[in-house]
Structure formats: C-alpha cells, structure tokens
C-alpha cells in the first residue's frame, strides 16, 4: 500500500518559463533513461522478490516510491515551463534561433509546434508519460528478472544512463530553479548507483555474485571457453590487450585468455523439409 503527501519531495521553481526546456524534461520523464523507467523497474523487482530476507524487497519499494516523487517533480517542472507558452501554435515563435540550437538543427518551427500541439490538445499544458519526441513509454525497458544480482547490475546501468541524461539537461538549463532541482536529482542518482553496488557487495561482490545465476553449477558450463575473449578480426590480428584479455577473471574463478575465433562446428544441414511444411517439392 502506498501513501501520498501532496508536498513535493524537493522544491520546483521556474523563474523564466521555457517551452523548449519542457520538451527536454519530457525525456527525463518518459525516455528510456527516465524516471518512469526506474520507478517501474524497482516496483516490479520488489513485487516479484523472493527469498528468506525481505529487506531487499523493502529497500526496492522505498526507492521505487522515491522515484515516483521524481516523476511528480519533473511533471511540475514541465507545467511551469509551459506556463507562458502561446495557446496558438501560430504564435509559437518557433523560428527563435536559440530554440533551433537547442533542437540540434531540426526544423525548430515543426519541433516546437508539434510539442505544443500535444501539450495544448492532449494535456492542457501539462506533462505526459512520453519522451521528448512524444513517444509514449511502453515499459519495454523494464528489467525485473527475479534474480537479485542481475537486477542490481541492471539498476546500476539504469541510474548511470539516468545521471548522464540529467547532467546533459543540467548543462542546457538556464533557469536557476531548474538547475537547483536537477542538482538534487543528480545527487540522488549518485546515491542510487552506490546503493545497488552495495547490494552486490552484500551478496559477496563480483566473486560471490558472478557468474549470474550463481545457483547454476559452473561445472556444467563449457570449461574451455568460459573465460576466453573471442578475437574476431577476419585477418587473424590480435585484439587490443586489456584487463579482459589476460590475468584473473573478475570473479577470481578463471583466467582471461584470447581465443582466435574459428568454426567449432560444421556447416549446418537441416535435412529435407517436412511433407506437411508447404515447402517446394524440390526441398523435400
């Protein structure tokens, strides 16, 4: 069961409304790097969590609920940035050179008019659950595998890409209130990266968690190639040397080596087509 407090998790203030910036904030709401993604990811990981220790489920629920607060903050910021947006698309002022620069060379009039059309006609100058291009978030980037370690590594990646996006938006921000809000959100991304890595450490670090799933007996996997780096250059030239090509593996259970990629199997022969397959008779 969830509870709601009508006050925001952190202040959201806009002194100079900017419709173009509202579009950028939409990516932080409904983009693949955005807050809807991490909130739903953490909720579904929690709702499917199994095991004798409920603390991981509880921790995920706390953070998922926090992320819902971030969506609320961003939605508020979008609405405030649209406060002075023109109600008429013909008045959008989309030929503004600054807007054109923000949009990366796209036709600024079409970009801003399309964005304002969605905000005016569909949401009444409010945020919507979609990315900066108006594509709805479809939940296809939610990773909840039922394996705690796998999910934690997915969460680190989610927070890393989210923090990258937030810093890019921060660098494009001109309003002091928006910068202040983004400083808070970037700080929370920092904590969440550390949080998920702390769970991995509790699970025994790389040595304890890897390979995932650690419940599968590793002696059942192919022992010849489980720590090989496959070099796939057509001319047989060696790959660049690195931590991944020699020395002990990250889990301490093997040694990295380089294997020059070569066919280990024969040319596949699927045999004749089945009589009931509707193939050509020459195939049967």
């Amino acid at each position: 069961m969830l509870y709601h407090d009508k006050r925001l998790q952190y202040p959201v203030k806009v002194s100079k409304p900017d419709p173009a910036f509202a579009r950028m904030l939409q990516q932080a709401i409904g983009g693949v790097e955005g807050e809807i993604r991490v909130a739903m990811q953490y909720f579904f990981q929690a709702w499917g969590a199994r095991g004798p220790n409920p603390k991981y489920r509880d921790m995920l629920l706390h953070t998922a609920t926090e992320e819902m607060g971030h969506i609320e903050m961003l939605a508020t910021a979008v609405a405030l940035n649209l406060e002075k947006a023109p109600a008429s698309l013909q008045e959008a002022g989309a030929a503004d050179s600054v807007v054109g620069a923000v949009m990366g060379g796209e036709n600024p009039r079409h970009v801003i008019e399309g964005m304002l059309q969605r905000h005016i006609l569909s949401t009444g100058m409010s945020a919507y659950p979609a990315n900066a291009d108006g594509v709805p978030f479809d939940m296809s980037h939610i990773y909840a595998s039922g394996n705690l370690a796998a999910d934690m590594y997915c969460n680190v990646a989610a927070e890393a890409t989210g923090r990258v996006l937030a810093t890019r938006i921060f660098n494009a921000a001109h309003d002091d209130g928006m910068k202040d809000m983004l400083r808070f959100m970037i700080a929370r991304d920092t904590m969440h990266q550390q949080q998920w890595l702390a769970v991995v450490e509790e699970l025994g670090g790389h040595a304890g968690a890897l390979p995932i799933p650690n419940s599968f007996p590793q002696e059942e996997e192919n022992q010849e190639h489980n720590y090989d780096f496959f070099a796939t250059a057509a001319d047989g030239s060696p790959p660049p040397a690195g931590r991944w090509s020699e020395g002990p593996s990250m889990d301490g259970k093997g040694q990295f080596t380089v294997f020059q990629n070569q066919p280990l199997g024969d040319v596949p022969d699927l045999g004749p087509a089945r009589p009931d397959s509707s193939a050509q008779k020459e195939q049967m």
Side-chain angles (χ1 to χ4, degrees), residues 5-12 62-73 184-185 188 192:
D5 188 317
K6 64 184 179 181
R7 294 167 295 184
L8 292 173
Q9 186 181 122
Y10 190 82
V12 177
H62 278 285
T63 306
T65 306
E66 177 191 349
E67 300 291 7
M68 292 297 291
H70 295 176
I71 299 170
E72 184 179 28
M73 290 164 56
F184 173 80
M185 299 189 73
R188 298 310 300 152
H192 293 155

Side-chain angles (χ1 to χ4, degrees), residues 27-173:
Q27 189 69 15
I29 293 174
V32 295
E33 322 92 329
E35 300 295 326
I36 293 178
R37 182 261 178 98
V38 289
M40 292 298 101
Q41 182 157 305
Y42 303 160
F43 270 130
F44 278 93
Q45 287 176 3
W47 293 331
R50 298 178 185 271
N53 194 334
K55 72 176 183 178
Y56 298 115
R57 178 182 188 276
D58 293 346
M59 176 199 62
L60 283 160
L61 286 173
H62 278 285
T63 306
T65 306
E66 177 191 349
E67 300 291 7
M68 292 297 291
H70 295 176
I71 299 170
E72 184 179 28
M73 290 164 56
L74 287 166
T76 302
V78 167
L80 291 176
N81 273 287
L82 293 172
E83 186 176 354
K84 295 182 180 179
S88 167
L89 298 181
Q90 284 71 35
E91 301 169 9
D96 190 311
S97 60
V98 175
V99 172
V102 169
M103 296 305 160
E106 298 177 80
N107 184 317
R109 182 171 183 79
H110 292 164
V111 169
I112 296 299
E113 285 188 358
M115 180 201 72
L116 287 175
Q117 185 176 42
R118 285 188 292 273
H119 281 119
I120 292 169
L121 300 179
S122 299
T123 67
M125 295 299 192
S126 301
Y128 47 80
N131 68 13
D133 293 320
V135 179
F137 186 76
D138 64 2
M139 307 293 275
S140 63
H141 292 276
I142 301 303
Y143 302 109
S145 68
N147 180 292
L148 183 61
D151 287 347
M152 292 304 106
Y153 282 113
C154 287
N155 292 352
V156 172
E159 292 289 347
T161 53
R163 193 173 190 274
V164 168
L165 175 66
T167 58
R168 288 171 176 165
I169 295 176
F170 178 87
N171 290 336

Side-chain angles (χ1 to χ4, degrees), residues 77 124 257 279 281 283:
T257 56
K281 60 185 179 182
Q283 296 176 265

Side-chain angles (χ1 to χ4, degrees), residues 207-228:
L210 300 175
I212 297 169
N214 63 4
S215 55
F216 182 83
Q218 199 167 3
E219 59 268 19
E220 289 290 338
E221 69 188 32
N222 183 301
Q223 300 297 303
E224 294 181 46
H225 299 292
N226 50 359
Y227 293 100
D228 280 351

Side-chain angles (χ1 to χ4, degrees), residues 162-220:
R163 193 173 190 274
V164 168
L165 175 66
T167 58
R168 288 171 176 165
I169 295 176
F170 178 87
N171 290 336
H174 299 287
D175 186 88
D176 289 340
M178 288 292 89
K179 285 188 174 183
D180 183 55
M181 178 193 76
L182 288 164
R183 286 189 182 97
F184 173 80
M185 299 189 73
I186 291 167
R188 298 310 300 152
D189 289 336
T190 296
M191 169 55 192
H192 293 155
Q193 290 179 31
Q194 297 296 308
Q195 178 179 330
W196 309 131
L197 288 171
V199 176
V200 173
E201 184 178 273
E202 275 202 354
L203 298 175
H206 295 322
L210 300 175
I212 297 169
N214 63 4
S215 55
F216 182 83
Q218 199 167 3
E219 59 268 19
E220 289 290 338

